[in-house]
Amino acid sequence: LQALAFASKNWGNGILHLTTRQDIQIHRVKIEDTIEVVDYLKKFNLSPRGGGGNTVRNIISCPFSGICNKEVFNIRGYAVALTEHLLRQESSYTMPRKFKIAFSGCSDDCAGVGINDLGFLAREKDGKKGFKVFVAGGMGANPKVGLLLADFIPEEDMGYCVQAVKNVFYKKGDRKDKRHNRLSFLVQDTLGLNEFKKLHEE
C-alpha cells in the first residue's frame, strides 16, 4: 500500500482508485512515465495486468467460495486458473473494451454473474460439475441483464467457452464508438443472441 501511495503521489494525481473488482488504479499517469511506474511497482510484486483499459479485467468469484453451505461446488479455483490463463494472452490487452467475467457457486449469486460480460453459475447435471452460462450483462450508463448462453456446460468446457466468447468480441466488437463498444451492445443490440451463439459455436 505504501508503494502504491508513493507511485500515485509521484506519477499520478495522488489518489488511489479502488474498483469493484479489487483493482487499485493510479490515474493521470503521463505516458512517458509509464515504464518507470511499472518498473517501480514490479519491485513490490505488483502488476498492472488486468487493472484497467480495454483488457480482460480481474475475474471475480463469490467471496464465500469454499465456505458457503449452499454452494454446488467451490468455484474459486476456476476464477484463479482462468485469470492466470487469460492474462498470459497478448490479445487480452487489446480488446475492443473491458471484458468482465464472474463465477458464483450457488443461486444466491453473490458475484452477480448476470451483470457481467460473461457469467458462470455452478450447476450439477447427472452427477457432473458444470455451469449455467450468461453473456452480455453489464452495469454503467446502459445496464443490461445477461442473456442465457448455455443452460449447462461441463466444467472441462469452461475454458473453451470463455475463449470462444472472447474471440467473437475481439473480432466483432466496435472499436470506434467507446459509448457503444461493450459486449452487451454487440450481443443485445448489434448481432442478436442467436447470431452471437452461432459465431460462438463456430
Side-chain angles (χ1 to χ4, degrees):
L1 287 172
Q2 287 177 332
L4 288 164
F6 179 88
S8 183
K9 184 178 177 185
N10 286 275
W11 292 293
N13 63 356
I15 296 169
L16 294 173
H17 178 78
L18 276 69
T19 77
T20 55
R21 306 188 88 76
Q22 300 180 8
D23 287 311
I24 301 175
Q25 297 175 342
I26 300 170
H27 290 192
R28 305 231 178 121
V29 175
K30 293 178 185 169
I31 193 74
E32 60 268 22
D33 293 336
T34 305
I35 293 172
E36 194 174 352
V37 175
V38 170
D39 283 345
Y40 170 77
L41 293 174
K42 211 182 333 180
K43 296 173 189 170
F44 301 90
N45 291 323
L46 295 169
S47 167
R49 288 179 172 241
N54 298 332
T55 63
V56 173
R57 294 293 180 91
N58 268 4
I59 297 170
I60 61 171
S61 66
C62 172
F64 302 108
S65 300
I67 58 169
C68 174
N69 62 1
K70 296 180 188 173
E71 70 185 2
V72 180
F73 55 88
N74 185 347
I75 43 78
R76 183 181 177 277
Y78 297 87
V80 171
L82 188 60
T83 297
E84 292 175 353
H85 174 70
L86 290 177
L87 292 185
R88 288 189 185 113
Q89 297 178 354
E90 194 174 318
S91 62
S92 291
Y93 304 97
T94 54
M95 300 295 290
R97 193 78 165 88
K98 54 190 169 185
F99 184 51
K100 297 180 175 181
I101 304 169
F103 288 84
S104 278
C106 77
S107 59
D108 285 357
D109 187 17
C110 296
V113 298
I115 55 170
N116 281 266
D117 294 302
L118 189 55
F120 293 91
L121 186 63
R123 285 197 65 200
E124 273 191 1
K125 187 175 180 181
D126 301 325
K128 191 163 181 53
K129 289 181 183 178
F131 299 96
K132 189 172 191 175
V133 186
F134 298 89
V135 69
M139 297 299 286
N142 294 293
K144 291 178 169 44
V145 175
L147 305 172
L148 185 65
L149 182 65
D151 190 57
F152 182 83
I153 62 164
E155 62 177 339
E156 63 268 20
D157 288 349
M158 181 269 294
Y160 298 116
C161 175
V162 173
Q163 193 65 56
V165 170
K166 183 182 167 217
N167 289 349
V168 176
F169 185 38
Y170 190 87
K171 291 175 187 173
K172 301 284 185 181
D174 185 346
R175 294 179 184 272
K176 293 176 184 171
D177 184 359
K178 191 173 182 179
R179 293 166 301 150
H180 201 258
N181 63 0
R182 293 292 302 272
L183 182 62
S184 60
F185 290 112
L186 177 66
V187 177
Q188 300 203 36
D189 298 346
T190 305
L191 294 175
L193 182 61
N194 288 337
E195 179 63 17
F196 181 83
K197 278 184 175 181
K198 181 172 170 266
L199 293 167
H200 171 264
E201 286 164 13
E202 286 173 2

